[in-house]
Amino acid sequence: MPIGFIGLGIMGSRMAANLKKAGYDLMIYNRTREKADPLIKAGAQWCDNPAQLAEKVDILFTMLAHPEAVSQIALGDIGFLDNMRPDGIWVDCSTVNPSFTKAMAAEAQKRRIRFVDAPVLGTKKPAREGQLVFFAGGEKEDVATLRPYFEIMGKAVKHVGDHGMGASFKMVVNLLVAQNVVIFSEAVALGRALGFSQEMLFDMLLDGPMAAPYLSVKRPKFEDGNFEADFPLKWMHKDLHLVALTAYEKGVALPTTNVAKEVFLQAKQAGLGEKDFAAIFDYLSSGNKS
Amino acid sequence: MPIGFIGLGIMGSRMAANLKKAGYDLMIYNRTREKADPLIKAGAQWCDNPAQLAEKVDILFTMLAHPEAVSQIALGDIGFLDNMRPDGIWVDCSTVNPSFTKAMAAEAQKRRIRFVDAPVLGTKKPAREGQLVFFAGGEKEDVATLRPYFEIMGKAVKHVGDHGMGASFKMVVNLLVAQNVVIFSEAVALGRALGFSQEMLFDMLLDGPMAAPYLSVKRPKFEDGNFEADFPLKWMHKDLHLVALTAYEKGVALPTTNVAKEVFLQAKQAGLGEKDFAAIFDYLSSGNKS
Amino acid sequence: MPIGFIGLGIMGSRMAANLKKAGYDLMIYNRTREKADPLIKAGAQWCDNPAQLAEKVDILFTMLAHPEAVSQIALGDIGFLDNMRPDGIWVDCSTVNPSFTKAMAAEAQKRRIRFVDAPVLGTKKPAREGQLVFFAGGEKEDVATLRPYFEIMGKAVKHVGDHGMGASFKMVVNLLVAQNVVIFSEAVALGRALGFSQEMLFDMLLDGPMAAPYLSVKRPKFEDGNFEADFPLKWMHKDLHLVALTAYEKGVALPTTNVAKEVFLQAKQAGLGEKDFAAIFDYLSSGNKS
Amino acid sequence: MPIGFIGLGIMGSRMAANLKKAGYDLMIYNRTREKADPLIKAGAQWCDNPAQLAEKVDILFTMLAHPEAVSQIALGDIGFLDNMRPDGIWVDCSTVNPSFTKAMAAEAQKRRIRFVDAPVLGTKKPAREGQLVFFAGGEKEDVATLRPYFEIMGKAVKHVGDHGMGASFKMVVNLLVAQNVVIFSEAVALGRALGFSQEMLFDMLLDGPMAAPYLSVKRPKFEDGNFEADFPLKWMHKDLHLVALTAYEKGVALPTTNVAKEVFLQAKQAGLGEKDFAAIFDYLSSGNKS
């Protein structure tokens, strides 16, 4: 039985390619068809719409940009949810907010479709190399059923709780991903203005006790100023919006994260939306260059 | 020739004790005399005021709470600076702002006193165990002269530049120290509200790619809620104020750090000033407990 | 033909009472029935659910707490929208976000129901005295049809545009309402700490060029510290959330308003949610009292 | 006996001109001499330095850009304070922080010079037209002595307390001046993005209950986008820095004002420093134009 994969952007195209490479039959769909071409060449089968695709698979992965896209693809006029077979599993790997995920889980359950939320940690390179980490929320058996697929696309899968807990954990993680680069950028901007070379600051701070280890991965981007997107800044802005929305729903005050959200928006307004989110470094340093 | 040490708080008392233990003669002074008692018992010699102390030493360390204290002790009515011998070295280990440090260096130079700024990374325990890291700003020869003393009190000394650059680097580091605990606290507050146990969050996040390694040191405090001060929250608030002041002088915008500064003040107003600065974790979580 | 009114909280109960007093037959519904008792005594007719009410009226006002409540009452299992007669008018006076309002307008239009969004400026007292200001969005004829009712409940109705523009204007206004009290509170907190009496600050600043005129209305609350709710702080927090949500949808950066949103949440966490939103003054001053 | 006036920028030049026009003999000094030319032509007498000027006057006004400038002119090598006659009055109209003002008052008193802090409300036009408002801190008799001069340069003088209270009140006022334009800008940015014309928003909001009356003065600048400086944005940024500094000294948390401070800095970095501070409107709207 083939597997379905909907959403072939930076992440989804690489995740699906790994499933294909591992020998699975793939049914694919994407809003803009051109992005599917490499996969089609590799043997995946194009479906004209989500509804059509749903009829041909038991396991359907989605990897989409935001809740609105997920909702449209799942529940829209040619959505897949009304067309999946009972007991099929919908695995949503999109980064969306937990309350939305729980609503999707409920929609799935209404139709006797099983649901697992499984957002990922990792961007373009880990996606390509099958080194993602999945945070899975849902039934134990369902996560177990999916484990072989997760292990092709990733290096680890962590079952963090019931429906929505994968999405919940992703909120926590992305808050940290975004904020770590913001505070590091503020620190380096200050350090440079005080007369330290960027190189010295990187050497002293990265891999040290005061910097999250993942920041070292971004060092080449910080250094050469080429912020080709592994994960576009505009999506990080969206994720911080979802974090703020979730915090509102839960009554959690996030004073600095809400400010970081606005800084990402300012950077997006300044034209950095399609750059890697690490370009926030550039945005926060720019005032001190001239 | 004995060494002078002024400022015997949480940090200074332990640093001076290590010098004493290493066999150096110590002349000491502190605003409140009682804090000097253990050192006096250990053989250090009390001086009635900074001016008197200055006459007896060639190398004088200060470890004080803020610029006003340093200024008072160095340049006040019974300050030491007018009483040091030419070519003596004043080593200021206090965390103060770089422009203040440069002014102190200039005051010292006017009197032909050599000056090194050498703030430290590390709190109570590393101070006691001689495991501090010094960031030294000043002349190469002077830093070399001081190296034996630094190596008794610390595990490393990094000569980061000219006068004021030690203080400058400390600003950068403390921005990160404060901000890392703030963003981690916001992340955990959100995670708990979403249903994760604190233990699970610590296990998943600490020592991982998204958390600065030093945060693990604070884990016991986060867990048992006993925030006995290694470094009091009120001093971290002061340091963030000095960071903001320095950023103003240099024209660097720090949108999230300025907010963190206010959050630390709110926590201080809520009665946490004498607790360890890691109690900001408690402050940022408190809204979600009830 | 009677008029329908759903939502009998602080605002709705007083607005409906004015319609009743003006001689209109009223069909009423509220989630908790007790709040309807005074109106029932005054002759209004209770309906057991929104669906039932809808069948008896051509014009239906709603005044509810948030989008979720509106959605539930309009589109839930016993919602009114499926039961209104074609060409009836639904007037939503709730403060909700424009994109939600537009969705409601579309749901109404699908069922050939006319829709006007008409949120109000004013709290308890103007509601009681028929001195509200309505910001109406919708068709010109519909607003004209409703004018007599608006004029009973209010002193002015401003037709600000098409569907959703009433809600849009309310977002702009409530941003200002909330922010004006925040900045005034910060100013007074500073002034008091600098040694000015609160009375002097009020005398010098209120009714002056630097304070929004409406702040004078809150002076008695600021002075006696009795923050009985005209408009509860928790709803202002909700409104700032809707402002932030709307700004996100439109790509507008609101750096200070997002911080104000978090301050309102902190005040809510501190137990001020049911107080008047002007209690933010108390919250922002509290650190300086002790 | 002539009057001294030091500091002939946008404000000082106009204030001094009014004193001259009223018939007083003026001794003047300014860091850059060219700015004094119009006054010299009008009959004022140039002095080569502050010390020289001090010898010729009993009353000396200063109107300078920031504390550092005041300190330099008063206490520098050719400063005036050591050269004024006992019982002379130094009137500092500069906007500086209260703790600095108190230090200056103490320096004056040490030399038996009387001191009054008298910062002003009003920018270029009121300065030219003698319509400023003075907030005076100091001895009652001294303020009375100065009243005739204040009344030439202004329309009102408010004796708000002892030394430093004039400066203190100015902090409170400028917090409001800056913040009012920030919150209004955020509101209009949101309103425009929601589809309202700028004109409609101005008509509905300015002169209404939700906008500080002074904002109407800025309407022409908002409308034609010509932000020629009445009061440069860079000085407002400096003032917000002094507000933050003062709040720190007094332990007052100002969460939104600290963010506004950073927004002004970002606007300055974007090249708006020499524009009127109302250009923050332009900065906060700019993201939504394209």
Side-chain angles (χ1 to χ4, degrees):
Chain A
M1 173 70 77
I3 302 165
F5 209 110
I6 297 178
L8 304 169
I10 291 177
M11 299 297 291
S13 61
R14 288 164 177 81
M15 292 161 71
N18 281 330
L19 290 173
K20 189 82 207 73
K21 242 182 282 173
Y24 288 102
D25 275 357
L26 273 192
M27 313 299 295
I28 58 174
Y29 173 77
N30 193 58
R31 197 166 47 91
T32 52
R33 179 166 172 158
E34 307 84 73
K35 291 194 183 163
D37 286 346
L39 274 164
I40 294 171
K41 270 184 205 149
Q45 190 179 329
W46 173 260
C47 301
D48 282 339
N49 60 55
Q52 201 187 84
L53 183 152
E55 290 166 6
K56 301 178 185 161
V57 301
D58 273 348
I59 296 178
L60 194 167
F61 289 90
T62 47
M63 186 56 162
L64 297 156
H66 42 62
E68 293 71 26
V70 175
S71 177
Q72 176 63 24
I73 292 284
L75 297 165
D77 285 344
I78 47 169
F80 62 79
L81 211 46
D82 280 334
N83 293 278
M84 280 187 77
R85 304 176 203 175
D87 280 324
I89 311 184
W90 169 22
V91 193
D92 188 18
C93 298
S94 316
T95 294
V96 292
N97 52 313
S99 57
F100 174 80
T101 292
K102 283 176 188 164
M104 288 301 104
E107 293 286 347
Q109 286 178 305
K110 256 197 262 176
R111 295 162 175 84
R112 315 202 51 169
I113 310 292
R114 291 182 285 164
F115 178 85
V116 171
D117 46 304
V120 303
L121 181 61
T123 55
K124 192 167 64 176
K125 189 158 166 274
R128 189 179 64 233
E129 296 175 354
Q131 293 291 310
L132 297 169
V133 177
F134 289 86
F135 305 122
E139 297 293 328
K140 210 171 170 177
E141 314 83 86
D142 295 340
V143 175
T145 303
L146 295 165
R147 186 169 289 273
Y149 309 100
F150 289 144
E151 288 181 347
I152 286 161
M153 297 182 284
K155 65 180 176 186
V157 49
K158 299 186 192 267
H159 184 201
V160 291
D162 207 349
H163 292 133
M165 293 310 265
S168 292
F169 198 74
K170 187 68 195 293
M171 292 291 105
V172 175
V173 167
N174 272 22
L175 183 162
L176 284 172
V177 175
Q179 282 277 56
N180 270 304
V181 73
V182 166
I183 69 175
F184 183 73
S185 299
E186 292 196 3
V188 173
L190 181 61
R192 283 170 50 184
L194 286 165
F196 297 111
S197 74
Q198 191 167 283
E199 195 189 0
M200 179 275 200
L201 292 165
F202 289 167
D203 287 348
M204 293 278 284
L205 298 172
L206 292 172
D207 300 315
M210 297 309 156
Y214 102 90
L215 288 165
S216 297
V217 176
K218 297 292 184 187
R219 182 169 179 165
K221 287 185 196 291
F222 296 150
E223 284 185 332
D224 65 19
N226 175 2
F227 289 100
E228 198 198 334
D230 291 332
F231 182 62
L233 188 142
K234 69 178 177 183
W235 297 139
M236 188 56 97
H237 172 235
K238 175 215 62 161
D239 286 359
L240 286 174
H241 163 68
L242 297 179
V243 163
L245 183 65
T246 301
Y248 169 79
E249 290 171 355
K250 292 294 175 182
V252 179
L254 301 178
T256 72
T257 302
N258 273 275
V259 173
K261 168 168 74 81
E262 297 307 286
V263 175
F264 271 93
L265 176 51
Q266 290 175 316
K268 190 179 151 193
Q269 291 178 341
L272 302 174
E274 304 298 333
K275 303 278 181 186
D276 192 77
F277 75 92
I280 201 75
F281 177 86
D282 224 34
Y283 179 73
L284 282 164
S285 301
S286 59
N288 311 305
K289 277 182 184 161
S290 55
Chain B
M1 175 69 78
I3 301 165
F5 208 111
I6 297 178
L8 304 169
I10 291 177
M11 299 298 291
S13 61
R14 287 165 177 81
M15 292 161 71
N18 281 331
L19 289 173
K20 188 81 207 77
K21 242 181 282 173
Y24 287 102
D25 276 356
L26 272 194
M27 313 299 295
I28 57 175
Y29 173 77
N30 193 58
R31 195 165 48 91
T32 53
R33 180 169 171 155
E34 307 84 73
K35 289 193 183 162
D37 287 346
L39 273 164
I40 294 171
K41 269 185 205 147
Q45 191 180 328
W46 174 258
C47 300
D48 282 340
N49 60 54
Q52 201 185 84
L53 184 152
E55 290 166 6
K56 301 178 185 160
V57 301
D58 274 348
I59 295 178
L60 195 167
F61 288 90
T62 47
M63 186 55 162
L64 297 157
H66 41 63
E68 293 71 25
V70 175
S71 177
Q72 176 64 24
I73 292 283
L75 295 166
D77 286 344
I78 47 169
F80 62 79
L81 212 45
D82 280 335
N83 294 277
M84 281 186 78
R85 304 177 203 176
D87 280 325
I89 311 184
W90 169 22
V91 193
D92 189 19
C93 299
S94 316
T95 294
V96 293
N97 51 312
S99 58
F100 174 80
T101 291
K102 284 177 188 165
M104 288 302 104
E107 293 286 347
Q109 285 178 305
K110 257 199 261 178
R111 294 160 175 85
R112 313 201 52 167
I113 310 295
R114 292 181 284 162
F115 179 85
V116 171
D117 46 305
V120 304
L121 180 62
T123 56
K124 194 167 62 177
K125 189 158 168 274
R128 189 178 63 233
E129 297 174 355
Q131 293 291 308
L132 297 169
V133 177
F134 289 86
F135 304 122
E139 297 293 329
K140 209 171 169 178
E141 314 82 84
D142 297 340
V143 176
T145 302
L146 296 165
R147 186 169 291 272
Y149 309 100
F150 289 143
E151 288 181 346
I152 286 161
M153 296 183 285
K155 65 179 176 188
V157 49
K158 297 183 193 269
H159 184 201
V160 291
D162 206 349
H163 292 134
M165 294 308 266
S168 292
F169 198 74
K170 188 69 195 293
M171 292 292 105
V172 175
V173 167
N174 271 22
L175 183 162
L176 284 172
V177 175
Q179 282 277 57
N180 269 305
V181 73
V182 166
I183 68 175
F184 184 73
S185 299
E186 293 197 2
V188 172
L190 180 62
R192 282 170 50 185
L194 285 166
F196 296 111
S197 74
Q198 192 167 280
E199 194 189 1
M200 180 275 200
L201 292 165
F202 288 168
D203 287 348
M204 293 278 282
L205 297 172
L206 292 172
D207 300 315
M210 296 309 156
Y214 103 91
L215 288 165
S216 296
V217 176
K218 298 292 184 187
R219 181 170 179 165
K221 286 187 197 288
F222 296 150
E223 284 184 333
D224 65 20
N226 176 1
F227 289 100
E228 199 198 334
D230 291 332
F231 182 61
L233 188 142
K234 68 178 178 185
W235 297 141
M236 189 56 97
H237 173 233
K238 176 216 61 159
D239 286 359
L240 286 174
H241 163 68
L242 297 179
V243 163
L245 184 65
T246 301
Y248 170 79
E249 291 171 355
K250 293 293 175 184
V252 179
L254 301 178
T256 73
T257 302
N258 272 277
V259 173
K261 169 168 74 80
E262 297 308 286
V263 175
F264 271 93
L265 177 50
Q266 289 175 316
K268 191 180 151 192
Q269 291 177 342
L272 301 174
E274 304 298 332
K275 303 278 183 186
D276 192 77
F277 75 93
I280 201 75
F281 176 86
D282 226 34
Y283 179 73
L284 282 164
S285 301
S286 60
N288 311 305
K289 277 183 184 159
S290 53
Chain C
M1 173 70 78
I3 302 165
F5 208 110
I6 297 178
L8 303 169
I10 291 177
M11 299 297 291
S13 61
R14 287 164 177 82
M15 292 161 71
N18 281 331
L19 290 172
K20 189 82 206 76
K21 243 182 282 173
Y24 288 102
D25 276 357
L26 272 192
M27 313 300 295
I28 58 174
Y29 174 77
N30 194 57
R31 195 166 47 91
T32 53
R33 178 166 172 158
E34 307 84 73
K35 290 194 182 162
D37 286 347
L39 274 164
I40 294 171
K41 268 183 206 148
Q45 191 180 329
W46 173 259
C47 300
D48 283 339
N49 61 54
Q52 202 185 84
L53 184 151
E55 290 167 4
K56 301 177 184 161
V57 300
D58 274 347
I59 295 177
L60 195 167
F61 288 90
T62 47
M63 186 56 163
L64 297 156
H66 42 63
E68 292 73 24
V70 175
S71 176
Q72 176 64 24
I73 293 283
L75 296 166
D77 285 344
I78 48 168
F80 63 79
L81 211 47
D82 280 335
N83 294 278
M84 280 186 78
R85 301 176 205 174
D87 280 324
I89 311 184
W90 169 23
V91 192
D92 189 19
C93 298
S94 316
T95 294
V96 293
N97 51 313
S99 57
F100 174 81
T101 292
K102 284 177 188 164
M104 289 302 105
E107 293 285 348
Q109 285 179 304
K110 256 197 262 175
R111 293 160 177 86
R112 314 203 50 170
I113 310 293
R114 291 181 284 163
F115 179 85
V116 171
D117 46 306
V120 303
L121 180 62
T123 55
K124 192 167 63 177
K125 190 158 165 275
R128 189 178 64 232
E129 297 173 354
Q131 293 291 308
L132 297 169
V133 176
F134 289 85
F135 304 122
E139 297 292 328
K140 210 171 171 178
E141 315 82 85
D142 296 340
V143 175
T145 302
L146 296 165
R147 186 169 288 273
Y149 310 100
F150 289 143
E151 287 181 347
I152 286 161
M153 298 183 284
K155 65 179 176 187
V157 49
K158 298 183 191 268
H159 184 201
V160 292
D162 207 349
H163 293 132
M165 293 310 265
S168 293
F169 198 74
K170 188 68 194 293
M171 292 292 105
V172 175
V173 168
N174 272 22
L175 183 162
L176 284 172
V177 175
Q179 282 278 55
N180 270 304
V181 73
V182 166
I183 69 175
F184 184 72
S185 299
E186 292 196 3
V188 173
L190 180 62
R192 283 170 50 184
L194 285 165
F196 297 111
S197 74
Q198 191 166 282
E199 196 189 1
M200 180 276 201
L201 291 165
F202 289 168
D203 287 349
M204 293 279 282
L205 298 172
L206 292 172
D207 300 315
M210 297 308 156
Y214 102 92
L215 289 165
S216 297
V217 176
K218 298 292 184 187
R219 181 169 179 166
K221 286 184 196 291
F222 297 150
E223 284 185 333
D224 65 20
N226 175 1
F227 288 100
E228 198 198 334
D230 291 332
F231 182 62
L233 188 143
K234 68 178 178 184
W235 298 139
M236 189 56 97
H237 172 235
K238 175 216 61 160
D239 285 359
L240 285 175
H241 162 68
L242 297 179
V243 164
L245 183 65
T246 302
Y248 169 79
E249 290 170 355
K250 293 294 175 183
V252 179
L254 300 179
T256 72
T257 301
N258 273 276
V259 173
K261 169 167 74 81
E262 297 308 286
V263 176
F264 272 93
L265 176 50
Q266 290 175 317
K268 190 180 151 192
Q269 291 178 342
L272 302 174
E274 304 297 332
K275 303 278 181 186
D276 192 77
F277 75 93
I280 200 76
F281 176 85
D282 225 35
Y283 179 73
L284 282 165
S285 302
S286 60
N288 312 303
K289 277 183 185 159
S290 55
Chain D
M1 174 69 77
I3 302 165
F5 209 110
I6 296 178
L8 304 170
I10 290 177
M11 299 296 291
S13 60
R14 287 165 178 80
M15 292 161 71
N18 281 331
L19 289 172
K20 189 80 208 77
K21 243 181 282 174
Y24 289 102
D25 275 356
L26 271 192
M27 313 299 295
I28 57 174
Y29 174 77
N30 194 58
R31 196 165 46 92
T32 52
R33 181 171 169 154
E34 308 84 74
K35 290 191 183 164
D37 287 345
L39 274 163
I40 294 171
K41 269 185 207 149
Q45 192 180 326
W46 173 259
C47 300
D48 282 340
N49 61 54
Q52 201 186 85
L53 183 151
E55 290 167 6
K56 302 178 185 161
V57 301
D58 274 348
I59 294 177
L60 196 167
F61 289 89
T62 47
M63 186 55 163
L64 297 157
H66 41 62
E68 293 71 24
V70 175
S71 176
Q72 176 64 23
I73 293 282
L75 296 166
D77 285 344
I78 48 169
F80 62 79
L81 211 46
D82 280 334
N83 294 278
M84 280 186 79
R85 303 177 204 174
D87 280 325
I89 312 184
W90 169 23
V91 193
D92 188 19
C93 298
S94 315
T95 294
V96 293
N97 52 312
S99 58
F100 174 81
T101 292
K102 284 176 187 164
M104 288 302 104
E107 293 286 348
Q109 285 179 305
K110 257 198 260 177
R111 294 162 175 83
R112 314 201 51 170
I113 310 294
R114 292 181 284 162
F115 178 85
V116 171
D117 46 305
V120 303
L121 180 61
T123 55
K124 193 167 62 176
K125 189 158 167 274
R128 189 180 62 233
E129 297 174 355
Q131 293 291 308
L132 298 168
V133 177
F134 289 85
F135 305 121
E139 297 293 327
K140 210 172 170 176
E141 315 83 85
D142 296 340
V143 176
T145 302
L146 296 165
R147 186 169 290 273
Y149 309 100
F150 289 144
E151 287 181 348
I152 286 160
M153 298 183 285
K155 65 180 178 188
V157 49
K158 298 184 192 269
H159 183 200
V160 291
D162 207 349
H163 292 134
M165 293 309 264
S168 292
F169 198 74
K170 189 68 195 294
M171 292 291 106
V172 175
V173 167
N174 272 21
L175 183 162
L176 284 172
V177 175
Q179 282 277 57
N180 270 305
V181 72
V182 167
I183 68 175
F184 183 73
S185 299
E186 292 196 3
V188 172
L190 180 62
R192 283 169 50 183
L194 285 165
F196 297 110
S197 74
Q198 192 167 279
E199 194 189 2
M200 180 276 200
L201 291 165
F202 289 167
D203 287 348
M204 293 278 283
L205 297 172
L206 291 172
D207 300 314
M210 296 309 157
Y214 103 91
L215 288 165
S216 296
V217 177
K218 298 291 185 189
R219 181 169 179 166
K221 286 185 196 290
F222 297 151
E223 283 183 333
D224 66 19
N226 175 1
F227 289 100
E228 199 198 333
D230 292 330
F231 181 61
L233 188 143
K234 67 178 178 184
W235 297 140
M236 189 56 98
H237 173 235
K238 176 216 60 160
D239 286 358
L240 286 175
H241 163 68
L242 297 178
V243 163
L245 184 65
T246 301
Y248 169 79
E249 290 170 356
K250 293 293 174 183
V252 179
L254 300 179
T256 72
T257 302
N258 272 277
V259 173
K261 169 168 75 79
E262 297 308 286
V263 175
F264 271 92
L265 176 50
Q266 290 175 316
K268 191 180 151 192
Q269 291 177 342
L272 301 174
E274 304 298 331
K275 303 278 182 187
D276 193 77
F277 75 93
I280 201 75
F281 176 86
D282 225 35
Y283 179 72
L284 282 164
S285 301
S286 60
N288 311 303
K289 278 183 183 158
S290 53

